[in-house]
């Protein structure tokens, strides 16, 4: 019992908040590319923010529910339908056994998420259900979904009432043009860029390249150059690190990237701005703006605080709905 995969889609995987504390062993964090969307959907359903859910690229999967539950979809807008009836993002929906979920077209964004009440009950490795394609793991821990897969749901948990939706002010904006630059910290080798390239990194818009996946996204339109040769011993990198390969086209590392690398690290996208970046599709522009560690930490703290406040508001709303009238 759970969710039956009728069509797998292009790259549908089980994700959660990822594996923390394993980088010293060469194991990346992984997890949802758009961690903000994943957290928001789980909070909307009354789940822990780190509960497992599905991450979907377009074309999306076609799924049949084998048991009743409550679900919500968010992140990218792929025009979801339930038995042909259009659904909205960021809203709870009750589903019954036999109903089918499908996605018609990519209206906005690149990665969509499907969460269910209680979260997915798929296997875990090192404390996480996130798919890792490099560790030789079996089943959904080591590969994307395939047609015929059965995704178990958490059994015996109470389901929240359908109908609740996130207020518009709490939803991610996903600015996908260059009117709002993404904030970056100068990287450890930023000083190795020549003066023109240092200026270009912040003054010129780049575009999202077609050569991108869960590991990295290549940026096009601007070629950066080093002022002098840099030979690095492999050094630590993380999701958001911007490396500069020899061809001069920057590469932004994402959730499934390696833990160390030898290319110069010229900048790093701050955590709070990563959702805007990963939701941009090939050909869309991106512009960077320098910031400070203090501002990066403040932005991350503000985001965490808003998620805690939202979780409290959702819990209070559900409690009020279950209080019997007198």
């Amino acid at each position: 019992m759970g969710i039956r995969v009728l069509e797998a889609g292009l790259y549908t995987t089980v994700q959660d908040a990822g594996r923390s504390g394993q980088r010293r062993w060469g194991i990346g964090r992984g997890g949802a590319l758009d961690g903000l969307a994943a957290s928001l959907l789980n909070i909307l359903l009354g789940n822990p923010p780190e509960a497992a859910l599905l991450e979907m690229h377009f074309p999306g999967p076609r799924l049949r529910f084998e048991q009743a539950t409550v679900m919500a979809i968010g992140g990218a807008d792929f025009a979801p339908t339930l038995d042909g009836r259009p659904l909205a993002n960021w809203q709870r929906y009750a589903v019954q056994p036999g109903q089918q979920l499908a996605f018609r077209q990519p209206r906005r964004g690149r990665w969509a998420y499907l969460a269910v009440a209680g979260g997915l009950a798929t296997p875990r490795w090192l404390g996480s259900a996130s798919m890792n394609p490099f560790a030789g793991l079996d089943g959904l821990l080591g590969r994307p979904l395939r047609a015929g897969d059965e995704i178990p749901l958490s059994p015996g948990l109470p389901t929240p009432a359908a109908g609740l939706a996130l207020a518009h002010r709490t939803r991610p904006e996903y600015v996908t043009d260059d009117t709002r630059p993404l904030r970056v910290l100068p990287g450890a080798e930023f000083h190795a860029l020549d003066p023109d390239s240092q200026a270009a990194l912040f003054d010129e818009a780049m575009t999202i390249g077609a050569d991108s996946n869960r590991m990295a996204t290549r940026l096009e339109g601007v070629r950066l150059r080093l002022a002098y040769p840099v030979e690095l011993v492999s050094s630590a990198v993380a999701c958001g690190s911007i490396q500069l390969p020899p061809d001069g086209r920057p590469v932004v590392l994402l959730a499934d990237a390696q833990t160390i690398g030898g290319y110069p690290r010229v900048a790093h996208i701050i955590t709070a701005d990563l959702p805007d970046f990963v939701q941009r599709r090939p050909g869309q522009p991106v512009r960077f703006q320098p910031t400070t560690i203090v501002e990066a930490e403040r932005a991350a703290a503000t985001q965490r605080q808003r998620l805690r406040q939202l979780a409290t508001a959702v819990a209070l709303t559900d409690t009020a709905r279950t209080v019997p009238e007198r």
Side-chain angles (χ1 to χ4, degrees):
M1 298 286 287
I3 301 175
R4 173 72 65 176
V5 180
L6 303 179
E7 296 175 6
L10 179 60
Y11 201 79
T12 306
T13 60
V14 176
Q15 300 293 340
D16 56 18
R19 297 174 180 87
S20 59
Q22 307 297 328
R23 299 185 68 82
R24 65 187 183 277
W25 309 116
I27 300 171
R29 183 181 182 91
L33 285 171
D34 185 349
L36 177 60
S39 294
L40 285 170
L41 288 174
N42 277 321
I43 288 172
L44 175 62
L45 290 166
N47 299 340
E50 65 276 9
L53 73 176
L54 291 184
E55 179 179 88
M56 304 169 289
H57 195 283
F58 196 86
R62 185 164 62 90
L63 308 170
R64 184 177 68 221
F65 289 85
E66 304 293 347
Q67 69 184 73
T69 188
V70 173
M71 69 167 187
I73 300 165
D77 183 357
F78 291 168
T81 63
L82 186 65
D83 287 346
R85 176 171 61 93
L87 305 180
N89 275 9
W90 311 114
Q91 181 173 330
R92 291 178 185 173
Y93 290 96
V95 290
Q96 301 301 322
Q99 291 193 290
Q100 293 188 21
L101 178 68
F103 301 88
R104 295 177 299 174
Q105 60 180 338
R107 290 172 173 162
R108 190 180 188 193
R110 189 164 191 178
W111 298 95
Y113 295 87
L114 167 65
V116 297
L120 305 179
T122 54
R124 292 177 173 266
W125 177 62
L126 298 177
S128 171
S130 289
M131 189 273 291
N132 184 314
F134 312 112
L137 303 172
D138 293 331
L140 298 181
L141 278 169
R143 61 166 174 81
L145 269 59
R146 297 172 183 164
D149 282 339
E150 184 88 16
I151 306 169
L153 307 186
S154 297
L157 295 177
T159 55
L164 187 66
L166 292 183
H168 285 278
R169 66 178 181 278
T170 65
R171 303 178 187 184
E173 293 183 43
Y174 296 135
V175 176
T176 53
D177 55 28
D178 62 354
T179 58
R180 188 174 71 188
L182 304 182
R183 293 166 289 183
V184 301
L185 297 168
E189 287 74 49
F190 174 77
H191 59 82
L193 292 173
D194 67 27
D196 288 343
S197 294
Q198 290 184 11
L201 182 62
F202 302 124
D203 294 343
E204 298 188 33
M206 305 182 198
T207 57
I208 303 296
D211 183 12
S212 64
N213 50 35
R214 278 187 49 87
M215 289 186 65
T217 290
R218 188 178 298 276
L219 301 178
E220 305 286 358
V222 175
R223 296 291 180 101
L224 304 180
R225 298 182 299 274
L226 299 175
Y228 51 86
V230 175
E231 294 185 9
L232 294 177
V233 174
S234 287
S235 302
V237 293
C239 184
S241 293
I242 304 177
Q243 291 185 303
L244 185 65
D247 66 4
R249 295 184 296 168
V251 172
V252 182
L253 302 185
L254 300 178
D256 282 347
Q258 71 278 9
T259 58
I260 58 174
Y263 293 142
R265 299 156 297 178
V266 298
H268 190 96
I269 301 174
I270 70 171
T271 300
D273 286 1
L274 272 172
D276 264 1
F277 180 79
V278 300
Q279 291 292 3
R280 300 189 189 205
R281 290 150 62 178
Q284 290 185 327
V286 59
R287 190 183 294 273
F288 297 122
Q289 170 184 305
T291 191
T292 65
I293 287 285
V294 171
E295 175 59 26
E297 291 178 343
R298 182 182 295 118
T302 298
Q303 192 174 89
R304 290 192 298 268
Q305 181 182 23
R306 288 174 177 170
L307 290 174
R308 288 193 297 267
Q309 291 171 340
L310 179 63
T312 300
V314 169
L316 289 173
T317 301
D318 283 337
T319 300
R321 285 181 171 186
T322 59
V323 172
E325 295 183 3
R326 295 183 178 180

